[in-house]
Amino acid sequence: MKVTLTRRYSFSASHRLHSGQLSEAENQRLYGKCNNPFGHGHNYEVEVTLAGAIHPATGMIANLAELDAFVQQHVLADFDHRYLNEEVPVFGKVVPTTENLCIEIYNRLKTFPGARLERVRIEETSKNSFEYSGNGQDQP
Amino acid sequence: MVTITRKIEFSASHLYHNPAFSAEENRRIFGKCNNPHGHGHNYTLEVTIAGSPDPTTGMVIDLTELKELLEREVMQRMDHRFLNYEVAELKGMIPTCENLTVVIWNLLASKIRQGKLHRVRLYEARDLFADCFGPGSTQGAA
């Protein structure tokens, strides 16, 4: 019996998709309006999924108040109402696509002590969503 | 494999309290969910069945049968009830979202006659849900 628990969070931030390894023309062709020089913003929705045994005494996989505090401290405090390219150090080196955002948030949350992190899923808009389950090299 | 998901909604009240804990521990661990008179939610339940479409009917499961099963096993048992006091299957358990998915899985799994129960997902609120993949689910090995 596998049971998972998913909690949903929101933050708003801006970003610009631009790769230092590509020319101006290539960046423009590849990223289109996401390459506009001053950036643009989204309301991101983040789903954090935890897996583990249900503690018989509490009926819980993890204490939600502890998870909320952990996500607030390790993700929301750094990301909400920020320009990701300039204000989150890793995105000075890698392009802040939502793929890379998934990996970065996964890396920040995988040390949550209460339960095993199963998946991070992000909706960048109502049309685009991305998931990461830690099965790669964990690098943006 | 194809999956089909049916969604139902029910409303119920509950509270989190473990008599083995002190009043202070209950308060610290469960927070406002420990308020003594309970509180309620509009739950959304998604039940996913996996299988191959029947060559004659094109269906993984007869949705009318599934609808009747959910009405009988879930709605009649839980809708507009106080889960702690009125649902026998939850006796001795804290009625968290996690435990509810396990109880609902166990109520449904053996009664699905076409296809196999694949996932029980229960939303307690828009920002919180639990998934149960029990025995027989492709993800239920853990």
Side-chain angles (χ1 to χ4, degrees):
Chain A
M1 188 79 78
K2 176 179 176 181
V3 180
T4 65
L5 179 71
T6 300
R7 183 81 153 155
R8 195 173 167 98
Y9 303 91
S10 303
F11 69 89
S12 301
S14 56
H15 71 169
R16 180 196 185 202
L17 303 188
H18 181 91
S19 171
Q21 297 167 41
L22 300 174
S23 70
E24 290 296 327
E26 285 171 323
N27 269 298
Q28 185 58 45
R29 183 178 53 75
L30 178 64
Y31 293 123
K33 61 188 177 185
C34 296
N35 183 241
N36 285 355
F38 299 105
H40 60 279
H42 297 288
N43 295 323
Y44 292 93
E45 299 280 333
V46 182
E47 286 183 0
V48 177
T49 298
L50 301 175
I54 301 175
H55 294 257
T58 64
M60 298 172 172
I61 291 174
N63 187 301
L64 284 177
E66 291 172 11
L67 178 63
D68 287 353
F70 197 87
V71 172
Q72 175 62 38
Q73 180 187 347
H74 294 278
V75 177
L76 302 179
D78 290 341
F79 287 48
D80 190 34
H81 286 71
R82 300 288 180 184
Y83 183 30
L84 299 176
N85 301 57
E86 299 288 340
E87 298 186 271
V88 178
V90 68
F91 297 122
K93 291 172 282 188
V94 302
V95 183
T97 58
T98 307
E99 292 92 323
N100 280 334
L101 199 51
C102 273
I103 296 173
E104 177 62 13
I105 291 178
Y106 182 93
N107 286 340
R108 286 169 175 244
L109 296 181
K110 67 185 177 187
T111 55
F112 175 65
R116 184 173 60 76
L117 181 61
E118 169 90 359
R119 182 175 62 243
V120 169
R121 177 175 175 274
I122 303 178
E123 295 174 13
E124 181 184 46
T125 68
S126 62
K127 292 177 184 169
N128 299 336
S129 68
F130 306 83
E131 295 182 14
Y132 184 64
S133 304
N135 45 6
Q137 299 304 308
D138 290 7
Q139 278 183 358
Chain B
M1 183 185 85
V2 179
T3 65
I4 182 160
T5 300
R6 178 125 194 136
K7 187 188 287 195
I8 62 169
E9 295 180 353
F10 63 92
S11 303
S13 54
H14 68 175
L15 76 92
Y16 296 172
H17 182 86
N18 185 335
F21 296 155
S22 69
E24 293 73 24
E25 282 175 313
N26 271 297
R27 194 71 203 167
R28 180 176 55 76
I29 294 167
F30 297 125
K32 62 187 176 185
C33 296
N34 183 239
N35 284 354
H37 300 291
H39 60 279
H41 297 286
N42 295 323
Y43 289 93
T44 299
L45 175 68
E46 291 180 3
V47 174
T48 300
I49 310 295
S52 299
D54 181 285
T56 310
T57 64
M59 296 173 174
V60 170
I61 186 173
D62 184 328
L63 278 179
T64 306
E65 272 189 37
L66 180 58
K67 183 180 172 185
E68 288 168 0
L69 179 66
L70 295 179
E71 171 66 29
R72 196 166 61 242
E73 296 296 335
V74 180
M75 293 299 280
Q76 289 183 17
R77 197 176 251 106
M78 298 184 183
D79 188 36
H80 286 71
R81 299 289 179 185
F82 197 126
L83 299 175
N84 300 62
Y85 306 136
E86 297 187 273
V87 178
E89 289 77 9
L90 284 163
K91 275 278 181 299
M93 300 167 87
I94 312 286
T96 57
C97 214
E98 297 96 307
N99 273 335
L100 279 167
T101 61
V102 174
V103 164
I104 292 170
W105 178 284
N106 288 333
L107 285 169
L108 298 179
S110 66
K111 303 182 184 86
I112 305 283
R113 300 192 304 147
Q114 294 168 276
K116 281 176 123 173
L117 186 56
H118 173 67
R119 186 184 78 188
V120 169
R121 171 173 288 187
L122 185 68
Y123 282 87
E124 181 179 292
R126 185 182 165 276
D127 63 358
L128 180 65
F129 65 85
D131 286 328
C132 178
F133 302 93
S137 163
T138 55
Q139 295 193 43

